[in-house]
């Protein structure tokens, strides 16, 4: 019989870190959990004196310990949360915690470690393996990610719980349509890739597809942090010089920054929403698996067996340009399905998982 668990603590280290996609998931899920905070004694543990980079998620938050960074997470956090369930939402976890749940967003550090570098990949793999073997369970964001983690024997399937991301946070932000003019983009004449230039994202295929004659005059836009130096290192910067690609980087300011060199521009959440809304298609060239297998959230056009073929991408994208009725059909279906994916639903699923694992622990 395990020791009883009294309360839930969220590892709040991400709240004092620069915004990333992983941190966005952690923040929105934590924010949605505020509804259940008092009922289930949910609180947030913070490193001391870090300063919050995100708005308060309306859950009681307490600074604990006297360290910061990795040292805080590994040494201060375990002792400060003893006797409670620690929920880690950003892939990393204290090694000494057993009464914990850790969210592992994907298995990329196992499948494509070169995207992150040798040391970073090894460090992340250590966290994930320890969490999978020693803690009460893992959380992940899709059935596909769960399958890859199971295949690598990180944890058995019954101990990996899928918490789908929500999408409704974008509706809180008014779009800043000025970004389209800044980037020289015409609505429904560009594809948006919400990704960076790491190898596993396969963005080079999308850029080469837009160099084909059938997509003349159309553009692709890639968004993600740290784009400018990655673009130069990737050898794909010629795409910006020829006007095929507009690359955006996240800006911490509410106002758009001046255009950077090499066709790179700063963009805020408001600009991301405007660019997403105005795009003709979202490019996801990292796999031939349809997105619906992972989230069931939309009806994509599948490139069977040809995710690395720019000709296949060009043909599929030009078909959407030529057939507005097909575009409308897919867009409407996607919007209807996406409406089911809310952060409240994700928080409710997480609370069910927490109740499940804590009951098992208390037996």
């Amino acid at each position: 019989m395990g020791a009883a668990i009294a309360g839930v603590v969220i590892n709040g280290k991400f709240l004092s870190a620069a915004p990333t996609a992983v941190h966005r998931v952690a923040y929105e899920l934590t924010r949605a959990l505020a509804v259940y905070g008092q009922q289930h004694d949910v609180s947030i543990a913070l490193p001391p004196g870090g300063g919050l980079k995100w708005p308060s998620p309306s859950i009681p938050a307490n600074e604990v310990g006297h360290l910061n960074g990795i040292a805080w997470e590994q040494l201060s956090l375990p002792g400060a949360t003893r006797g409670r369930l620690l929920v880690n939402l950003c892939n990393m976890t204290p090694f000494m915690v057993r009464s914990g749940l850790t969210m592992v967003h994907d298995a990329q550090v196992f499948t494509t470690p070169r995207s992150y570098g040798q040391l970073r990949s090894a460090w992340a793999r250590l966290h994930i393996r320890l969490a999978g073997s020693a803690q009460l369970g893992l959380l992940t964001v899709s059935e596909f990610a769960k399958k890859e983690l199971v295949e690598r024997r990180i944890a058995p399937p019954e101990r990996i719980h899928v918490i789908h991301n929500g999408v409704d946070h974008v509706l809180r932000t008014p779009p800043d349509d000025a970004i389209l003019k800044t980037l020289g983009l015409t609505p429904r004449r560009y594809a948006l890739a919400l990704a960076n230039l790491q190898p596993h994202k396969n963005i080079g295929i999308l850029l080469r597809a837009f160099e084909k004659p059938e997509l003349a005059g159309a553009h692709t836009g890639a968004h993600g942090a740290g784009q400018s130096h990655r673009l130069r290192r990737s050898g794909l910067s010629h795409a910006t010089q020829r006007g095929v690609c507009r690359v955006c980087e996240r800006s911490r300011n509410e106002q758009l920054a001046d255009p950077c060199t090499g066709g790179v521009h700063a963009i805020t959440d408001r600009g991301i929403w405007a660019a997403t809304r105005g795009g003709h298609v979202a490019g996801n060239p990292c796999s031939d698996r349809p997105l619906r297998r992972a989230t069931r959230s939309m009806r994509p056009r599948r490139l069977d067996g040809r995710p690395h073929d720019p000709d296949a991408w060009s043909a599929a994208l030009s078909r959407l340009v030529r057939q507005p009725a097909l575009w409308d059909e897919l867009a409407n279906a996607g919007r209807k399905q996406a409406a089911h994916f809310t952060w409240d639903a994700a928080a409710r699923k997480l609370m069910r998982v927490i109740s499940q694992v804590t009951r098992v622990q208390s037996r």
Side-chain angles (χ1 to χ4, degrees), residues 121 134 195 277 330:
S121 293
R277 194 174 63 162
L330 295 174

Side-chain angles (χ1 to χ4, degrees), residues 254-317:
E254 286 300 318
Q255 300 298 320
L256 287 173
D258 291 334
C260 304
T261 59
V264 180
H265 302 263
I267 190 171
T268 63
D269 282 349
R270 295 177 61 209
I272 296 169
W273 178 211
T276 303
R277 194 174 63 162
H280 196 72
V281 67
N284 182 35
C286 55
S287 174
D288 65 342
R289 299 175 179 87
L291 187 59
R292 62 173 176 262
R293 288 191 181 181
T295 65
R296 311 288 179 186
S297 64
M298 59 182 60
R299 293 176 56 194
R301 305 303 294 177
R302 184 178 180 183
L303 305 179
D304 288 305
R306 302 173 67 189
H308 303 290
D309 184 350
D311 291 327
W313 276 98
S314 179
L317 293 168

Side-chain angles (χ1 to χ4, degrees), residues 26-107:
Y27 174 74
E28 296 296 343
L29 196 48
T30 301
R31 185 177 184 273
L33 283 172
V35 176
Y36 310 95
Q38 292 184 346
Q39 180 182 356
H40 296 276
D41 189 19
V42 179
S43 62
I44 303 172
L46 298 170
L52 300 186
K53 301 286 176 55
W54 297 84
S56 171
S58 301
I59 292 178
N62 305 294
E63 292 186 355
V64 302
H66 303 284
L67 302 171
N68 277 285
I70 294 174
W72 175 83
E73 193 166 53
Q74 295 299 326
L75 302 176
S76 297
L77 190 57
T81 58
R82 188 173 291 114
R84 290 174 286 177
L85 177 73
L86 180 65
V87 179
N88 308 281
L89 297 172
C90 300
N91 297 311
M92 303 301 180
T93 184
F95 296 153
M96 293 185 289
V97 167
R98 298 296 177 265
S99 296
L101 288 169
T102 295
M103 177 168 279
V104 179
H105 288 245
D106 53 54

Side-chain angles (χ1 to χ4, degrees), residues 214-227:
E214 53 266 41
L215 289 175
H219 300 85
T220 182
H223 159 70
Q227 296 296 293

